[in-house]
Amino acid sequence: MDLLKFQIIAFVPLLLCIPLAHGWGIDGHLIICRIAQSRLSRAANNAVSQLLPAYASDDLGSVCSWADRVRFRYHWSAPLHYIDTPDDLCTYQYKRDCKDADGIADRCVAGAINNYTNQLLTYGNGKSASQYNFTEALLFLSHFIGDIHQPLHVGFSSDRGANTIDVHWYRRKTVLHHVWDSNIIETAEKRFYDSNVDELIDTLQKNITTVWSTQAKAWAACSKTTCPDIYASEGIKAACDWAYKGVSEDSILEDDYFLSRIPVVNLRLAQGGVRLAATLNRIFG
């Protein structure tokens, strides 16, 4: 059986899972899903409402980190959160790069986005009702579209997306990957938004409809239902141009790094939200 299409027998409630931080941190995924849900068509909003577990209270953002919390329960899902690319090439190719550590094709975040998009396209088809868990497909897809927009989720193979590069974020020791998952966002929230993620979301949504309005239409465009190869190619470029650039083992990253990188993080969060909404709107009509 294709592990990427492995059928989960039962939905695992988020509240029963141990919180773990992978991909964007909790706030990053929350931001992307909240932006997306605000941009859904009526049909897509109805479908999402029907598929969300009751405890989510119709808030996709509240369960947008579910896929991280179950990755060690669903061991097969771990490779689906990222793409490893050849060191220093700064390019992405699906056939070359979308595989797991055993070389099994399609087992990367781009392949996962394609898979769960295809599953959700059969929603409402009676013949597929017993084949897929559509609630899980929605939560996986929402999470993975977020992950592919975190630049270091399309990072270099040797350092596992900068997970092995030790740095200091101001005075705190961490790894470069975690800086992009959480530290930049958390520092921005504390410094500019009184530690209120809702204010950051409001700012990004306003920018999407004003200063980014023209770009946002281009972000949402896709000749297929979803376009993860475009998102991944952007990701590795951002990783090379911004995440890795100027960083070495034990680098101390402070204001120079933070202030020059926060615009990139904001852009990727906004793009992720717009594209998740566009994908769901195309799936559900």
Side-chain angles (χ1 to χ4, degrees), residues 132-149:
Y132 300 127
N133 183 322
F134 291 112
T135 293
E136 292 195 341
L138 172 65
L139 300 193
F140 275 128
L141 177 63
S142 299
H143 183 90
F144 292 145
I145 287 183
D147 275 351
I148 205 169
H149 282 83

Side-chain angles (χ1 to χ4, degrees), residues 7-153:
Q7 180 180 349
I8 308 307
I9 302 302
F11 180 75
V12 180
L14 178 66
L15 297 179
L16 298 181
C17 299
I18 299 170
L20 295 163
H22 303 279
W24 290 113
I26 291 173
D27 279 5
H29 283 291
L30 172 73
I31 290 164
I32 287 170
C33 280
R34 288 266 175 87
I35 290 172
Q37 194 165 13
S38 72
R39 300 175 63 86
L40 294 180
S41 66
R42 179 175 297 181
N45 189 63
N46 288 340
V48 168
S49 295
Q50 291 168 10
L51 290 174
L52 284 175
Y55 66 81
S57 300
D58 203 31
D59 178 10
L60 180 60
S62 71
V63 287
C64 208
S65 292
W66 173 84
D68 280 336
R69 292 176 165 90
V70 298
R71 63 186 294 174
F72 294 110
R73 184 183 297 251
Y74 297 160
H75 297 284
W76 53 267
S77 72
L80 307 184
H81 291 254
Y82 60 88
I83 299 166
D84 285 335
T85 69
D87 290 9
D88 301 315
L89 287 185
C90 298
T91 62
Y92 157 79
Q93 296 175 16
Y94 186 93
K95 289 185 178 180
R96 181 191 69 195
D97 302 328
C98 190
K99 58 183 182 297
D100 65 13
D102 296 321
I104 300 175
D106 303 319
R107 288 184 50 73
C108 77
V109 66
I113 289 170
N114 289 331
N115 175 55
Y116 290 110
T117 295
N118 290 336
Q119 287 191 24
L120 288 169
L121 284 168
T122 69
Y123 179 63
N125 181 340
K127 294 181 180 179
S128 66
S130 62
Q131 185 178 3
Y132 300 127
N133 183 322
F134 291 112
T135 293
E136 292 195 341
L138 172 65
L139 300 193
F140 275 128
L141 177 63
S142 299
H143 183 90
F144 292 145
I145 287 183
D147 275 351
I148 205 169
H149 282 83
Q150 203 276 55
L152 289 174
H153 273 250

Side-chain angles (χ1 to χ4, degrees), residues 162-168 173-175 246-252:
N163 272 292
T164 64
I165 300 177
D166 294 322
V167 298
H168 281 81
K173 187 173 182 179
T174 184
V175 295
V247 180
S248 58
E249 184 74 8
D250 294 324
S251 285
I252 299 173

